[in-house]
Amino acid sequence: MKKRVLMILADGFEEIEALGTADILRRLHLEVVLAGLNKDKVTGAHNIAVIPDTSLEAVAGEDFDAVILPGGMPGAANLDADRMVDEVLQKASASGAVIAAICAAPYLLAKRGLLNGKVFTMYPGFDSELCGLRYTDEPAEVSGRIVTGKGPGAVFAFSRALAGELGAASECEELYRGMFIEK
């Protein structure tokens, strides 16, 4: 059965993190659903407009194998302020789904207690407010069912980590060889 992945897009999202990750996962034949907080159009931090597959409201009650939160500002802040994002994260956590966040978005996971006892990475500077949590400076980290990425330049490491958690590690390595992406 094909793995289902939900990526939530809010205005101000980091385009490279969102679209790069979605592209790689779709190349691995995973079903990636781009769900916007706005159903018609979501505009990234660098004014690139994206038409999502659906709205978050339309799919919030569905089951997914993973939920991904791209970073970017004010995208991460807009995700943080949305009540439905909380519901999706709670459901994903309770079901044992992979929860992934990159750049500023791991901050959302920390605020909700999802990084307690986990090792994680994120965009440098946002970690300064997360005293007592185990931050690293690595491009990507996997800790339990949580996958985190440092920022835009870490999109390939982040996607590799996600692919591994979704059972597509060898396929990802083959894809990366063909795309000339080094370890």
Side-chain angles (χ1 to χ4, degrees), residues 122-146:
M122 66 187 310
Y123 195 85
F126 286 95
D127 60 294
S128 63
E129 298 180 38
L130 305 178
C131 298
L133 296 178
R134 296 166 43 197
Y135 169 79
T136 74
D137 199 34
E138 294 298 318
E141 289 286 354
V142 176
S143 189
R145 299 294 282 169
I146 302 289

Side-chain angles (χ1 to χ4, degrees), residues 40-63:
D40 296 326
K41 176 180 81 168
V42 185
T43 303
H46 303 99
N47 295 316
I48 298 173
V50 173
I51 299 170
D53 300 318
T54 188
S55 68
L56 181 59
E57 183 177 18
V59 296
E62 295 180 19
D63 292 325

Side-chain angles (χ1 to χ4, degrees), residues 3 23 111 157-158 167:
K3 301 277 181 157
D23 179 87
K111 281 181 63 176
F158 178 68

Side-chain angles (χ1 to χ4, degrees), residues 28-45:
L28 294 172
H29 307 290
L30 300 170
E31 180 186 346
V32 180
V33 177
L34 301 177
L37 297 187
N38 305 326
K39 75 175 192 175
D40 296 326
K41 176 180 81 168
V42 185
T43 303

